[in-house]
Amino acid sequence: MLSRPKPGESEVDLLHFQSQFLAAGAAPAVQLVKKGSRSGGDANPDRPPLQDHRDVVTLDNLPDLPPALVPAPPKRARPSPGHPLPEHEDPEERLNRHDKHITAVLTKIIERDTSSVAVNLPVPCGVAFPPVFHRSQGRQRKPATSGKRSIFAQEIAARRASEAKVPPVGEVASTLDPPEGAAACEALTPREQGSQLPWNSYSFQGPHLVTGKGLKSQEAEQEAQTIHEENVARLQAMAPEEILQEQQRLLAQLDPSLVAFLRSHSRTCEQAEEKATGEQRPGGHSAEVTGEEPIMPTSASEPRQEDELEPGAPALALPVTPQKEWLHMDTVELEKLHWTQDPPPLRRQQPQEAQAGEFGDRLVGSVLRLLLDAGFLFLLRFSLDDRVDGVIAAAVRALRALLVAPGDEELLDSTFSWYHGALVFPLMPSQEDKEDKDEDEGPPAEKAKRKSPEEGNRPPSDLARHDVIKGLLATNLLPRLRYLLEVTCPGPSVVLDILAVLIRLSRHSLESATRVLECPRLIETVIQEFLPTSWSPMGVRPTLSLHRVPCAPAMKLLRVLASAGRNIAARLLSGFDLRSRLCRFVAEAPQDLALPPEEAETLSTEAFRLWAVAASYGQGGDLYRELYPVLTRALQDVPKELSSPSPQPLALQRTASLLTVLTQLTLAAGSTTPEPRSDSAEASLSATPSSVTWTQVSGLQPLVEPCLRQTLKLLPRPEMWSALGPVPTACLLFLDAYYQAWSQQPGVCPGDWLQDTERLSEELLLPLLSQPALGRLWGSLGCCSPLCNPQSCAPAPEALSSLVSLGCAGGHPPLSLAGSASPFPFLTALLSLFNTLGWIHKGLCGQLAAVLAAPGLQNYFLQCVAPVAAPHLTPFSAWALRHEYHLQYLALALAQRAATLQPVSATSAALYHSMALVLLSRLLPGSEHLAHELLLSCVFRLEFLPERASGGPEAADFSDRLSLGSGGDLGCGRGTLLAQACQDLPSIRSCYLTHCSLARASLLASQALHRGELQRVPALLLPVAKEPLLPTDWPFLPLIQLYHRASDSPSGLLPADTVGTAMRALQWLLVLESWRPQALRAVPPAARLARLMCVFLVDSELFRETPIQRLVAALLARLCQPEVLPNLNLDCPLPGLTSFPDLYANFLEHFEAVSFGDHLFGALVLLPLQRRFSVTLRLALFGEHVGALRALGLPLTQLPVSLENYTAPPEDNLALLQLYFRALVTGALQSRWCPVLYAVAVAHVNSFIFCQDPKSLDEVKAARRSMLQKTWLLADEGLRQHLLHYKLPNSALPEGFELYPQLPPLRQQYLQKLISGVLRNGVSET
């Protein structure tokens, strides 16, 4: 016998004792007995005991996939096993049957013939009392099958069963009498059956209404048949019209609601029978069921058999066939499935759509927003703290489904090797909600002081309402994920889900990526557990654990982190020993990694991409020397892989990533060491020289060029060309970087690379331009362009402002910018190579610029400059438009290089200039270098203004002379101004470079990226794309900045170059208005007028300058053209202006103070006073600034618009009419110092006093009579004559209007009637 454990014995000793005990086979001293359940003992009494010789702890096998998050089935009341509830019995009828009240008994007294009813007497017995039942007798019987029942219930059930074996005497007679329910149900149907039978059909099968119940059993059936025959004979003797009349009479006697109910019930039954008959016809004949079959009631004590259909009964015509595997369908209750017959029939695809969850378009509102508002996000977060592995797995899977869009990651991975494809926008909200805007109201200084503390103290729920990722990070999500990976060691699916969530968190922003990097032991755990340098070989079969096994998502996580900033990349390379990991996974071919083939290819691709990101900062160059043989061997194998009939997509992505690494290393070898700047925080970091030299990369070009030749052979075959993916693009980008770096080497002879560029052009590039397949690519630009097809950038239906996603869940069609047949990546790389070759070899520029003459490119440019609104800025549209703008800029840069060497056609030059203007107003953050280069080169280039040399100024003068009402006498002609502006283009360019300056830090970062200065690249994460870099009204920026300086300057002193700045801006605006009006189409005419008014608000002397006067007059004339004037709307909100009435009030105040009767100033004051504009503007002048009327001396002949715009329709504002009349009567408004408004006021007052509208209000009628009386009594005969005899406006006359020689008869009668009344009132008063 074994002794008890003693102190000092270890667990090894205990395990040894246990093995000895099990080997001896002795009986244990204690036997464990599992206590049975309360409902019925052991669930499985026949289960054999465990025979294993080991002490095994058995747990239920948890699936690798998380369980479905469905609610538990609701608990249902279970009836007593001995008394099942009848299913086909009406509850109301059952209550009535058990009702023992006296009223219920008296209302059901029916006379019956009981002479033939048998009377069953009790069975006689020889004892006075029944025998006593002992429990010992029950044990000998079989246990009850219907659950736990009492002994008394079991005995009663046994006696009933024994009595049921002997049928009573009257059983046969009782079957002839159907129950009351059957008679009541049949009594409702003859009226409907009679209406449904055809008139020529008399094949009645038997009585349905009369059953003979209550008669003697011998006479019941015969009497019922006699009555039935009499009814049939009477119906046959009646005509159809008589039958209809009787039917209508019977229906009129019944309750209408009852008739409607019976008809609907009958119609439903007919439809069910027709469906059942139609379904049974192709399969076989259904059994006939006659109406004579009695309906037997179901006893409460009988077992439930109503769910089992009899073989002869027709099946219910249900749209779906119920299955017992469904929830709550273990017992199919067919009567509860009748409701499925009412909905319309389902389409075949609908069940599949419902299972796939594709009914999102039929839901009202956003499901995601509803879930987030309900707290679903924090439910997932709290579920991660659970102890059950299944709950944690389900929570991680749901969190990944919520945060991660698989289509987004596939898109960003597939475009990594595009032109600047590694640069992405952060996936964070670009604007705050309205609540934040309300909270942040106030001065900028106060916002800066109070926003940062509130950001840290706000609860996670508030943060998640505006930014889901910030809300999650505030709940300590990262430490919990680290704990799950490091301690719990979950299954493969959970690990992949966690890594996907970490990748999404890292894409949010630089702040989120830094928090992921600095989370304690998180990155160490990822690298040690999922990027080991040694592991056990894995087969094709799924593994049970990913720990200590290389994982491609782990490498991708490091790549995304490194893309957030150069400091993060440096910390990863130096602090986590990533160099050894990169060498491990790059040096060995994917087929030799002892991993599944697909996983090995993806892991190798991600290793190359991580290296490429590090090389984009000039880091990781020391690995190139160690891995040079591996890289050259891989390049030598690329042509063989490309020539295979069906190249693998993963292998092509790996090849493109390899070429991207070599491109960045080549740029690093060609970049010169920048001079350190004392004002830069990264001066020491950027001053470190590159570890890659030109001699180390100079031998790569002969290896890459054959790859490009091999890919170009497949260009005429579209299906094969699409399958190549980004490989041709990566080859072109490498050659671009190679020649750019070669030309920057100080010790290399220029003749070498000049000869090599000529060889490449003659052998490869120029023959490529003549291929029809390349023209096909140019022609497909419009089909794949987001600008030309804004619907392709529409936001996803479930897009949320607090959770940014590219919305790529459904994929992209082939003919789209991100599609497989998109021409944008290849053509962008081709134009980049052409620009580099044209820059280093100007002799090739003209030959390579022939690509710009492609009809497809010309048509594409025409579509881009057409008056079509740009797509709404969404995360995906920002990503797509950025790549499209790269192609447009490179094409314009090549055109600009060619224009300096050879003449360009007028049509092409004007198209390029229009394209440059449109592109400048659309560029997004991150493209500051492109905007700066456009301002330097294309926008203000004289070669792109062909109108200068083709008679444009002369045509402008001729047009002004032909136009009516032009204010040409204010200065020289518009043609002279345009010619002078063309001569001053360099000064105009300097002005706009000063006032359209971008943020210096952003401009330097963008320049470093586009120029290949890798030592100065701060990050591959672009700024948030809130809006374009420049506003749509950027040509007005110098004027707006002058106005703001004047408003903010307390002393009123302005810079010395104020006149020059205003003149250059007005010159450029005149050029755009005259020759490029589409460039200002985005700025409404009212906004242009408001910005012109800012010139007069700068100070009191600027508008007096002669050049300013001439330019403003010319621009005002352009605004007053007949085709532009109808679009001048001052009543709608204007961009950049809070309130036009406030601006106009300020304008009137300034005019009254400093104008001194300036006619141009007065013209701008008069323009908003037209009748169709708001009455507020006219009230401001006549009510608050009446003194300004004396300075409005603009002659009628110099009015820029027609006088009828001020006089028609008649004024209906009584307050303004009274102000008009008061100004005229008091002499504040006279014709000699304000001719325009004098004519306007006279016209409106005359129309008002002679108006005889009967619908006018009493107040208006009284004011009209009073005004006419005062006019008649005026002492000023001239004013009295004008107000009474006004006829029509006429600008040619000195007064501005025509007069009646004498009043018309109607007006004369009206005036005489009013005068006579005034005289009588005056006599009576005296």
Side-chain angles (χ1 to χ4, degrees), residues 13-248:
D13 299 330
L14 296 179
L15 292 176
H16 180 66
F17 295 155
Q18 182 182 10
S19 60
Q20 290 181 358
F21 174 75
L22 294 176
V30 178
Q31 183 177 2
L32 297 178
V33 179
K34 183 177 180 181
K35 185 178 180 180
S37 61
R38 299 177 61 183
S39 59
D42 193 0
N44 192 2
D46 299 332
R47 179 178 177 182
L50 294 175
Q51 299 297 331
D52 199 348
H53 295 284
R54 294 177 300 169
D55 190 10
V56 180
V57 179
T58 60
L59 295 176
D60 294 337
N61 293 328
L62 294 177
D64 188 43
L65 295 177
L69 296 177
V70 295
K75 296 183 179 180
R76 303 176 59 188
R78 186 175 60 182
S80 176
H83 299 277
L85 295 177
E87 296 290 341
H88 295 288
E89 186 177 2
D90 187 9
E92 183 179 0
E93 181 181 347
R94 186 174 176 222
L95 288 174
N96 293 335
R97 187 171 65 251
H98 292 280
D99 190 2
K100 302 301 183 181
H101 196 265
I102 186 62
T103 57
V105 176
L106 293 179
T107 54
K108 291 187 178 181
I109 298 177
I110 303 175
E111 290 191 23
R112 298 181 182 275
D113 186 6
T114 59
S115 59
S116 59
V117 177
V119 178
N120 297 327
L121 298 177
V123 179
C125 59
V127 294
F129 297 96
V132 178
F133 177 77
H134 296 276
R135 285 183 293 177
S136 59
Q137 301 177 3
R139 295 184 179 182
Q140 300 175 1
R141 301 178 183 178
K142 295 182 179 180
T145 59
S146 58
K148 185 176 181 180
R149 300 173 62 183
S150 63
I151 299 176
F152 181 77
Q154 295 179 18
E155 181 66 18
I156 295 301
R159 290 189 179 184
R160 289 182 177 177
S162 61
E163 293 178 359
K165 296 180 181 179
V166 182
V169 179
E171 183 179 0
V172 179
S174 63
T175 57
L176 297 177
D177 299 336
E180 300 174 4
C185 294
E186 290 182 1
L188 301 176
T189 56
R191 198 178 300 110
E192 295 297 325
Q193 293 176 356
S195 63
Q196 295 170 2
L197 290 174
W199 303 118
N200 55 357
S201 175
Y202 304 107
S203 57
F204 302 100
Q205 298 183 10
H208 294 272
L209 180 63
V210 182
T211 60
K213 186 176 181 181
L215 301 177
K216 293 183 178 181
S217 58
Q218 295 84 0
E219 302 175 357
E221 184 177 357
Q222 180 181 0
E223 192 66 23
Q225 185 64 26
T226 303
I227 297 174
H228 173 64
E229 291 176 355
E230 292 178 357
N231 292 336
V232 170
R234 185 173 181 181
L235 284 174
Q236 291 177 351
M238 296 174 65
E241 294 79 5
E242 297 177 353
I243 295 178
L244 282 176
Q245 293 178 0
E246 290 295 327
Q247 184 182 20
Q248 295 298 329

Side-chain angles (χ1 to χ4, degrees), residues 921 1031-1033 1077-1085 1087-1088 1135:
S921 62
T1032 55
D1033 61 342
Q1078 68 275 5
L1080 297 176
R1081 188 182 298 112
V1083 186
R1088 297 182 225 169

Side-chain angles (χ1 to χ4, degrees), residues 567-579 619:
N567 293 332
I568 295 180
R571 291 176 60 181
L572 287 175
L573 288 177
S574 60
F576 296 95
D577 193 21
L578 275 189
R579 286 180 170 83
Q619 305 169 4

Side-chain angles (χ1 to χ4, degrees), residues 881-903:
L881 291 174
R882 176 176 166 273
H883 287 285
E884 184 171 12
Y885 295 158
H886 286 160
L887 182 140
Q888 296 176 2
Y889 168 76
L890 293 172
L892 292 175
L894 183 60
Q896 179 265 333
R897 296 183 190 279
T900 58
L901 302 175
Q902 60 186 11

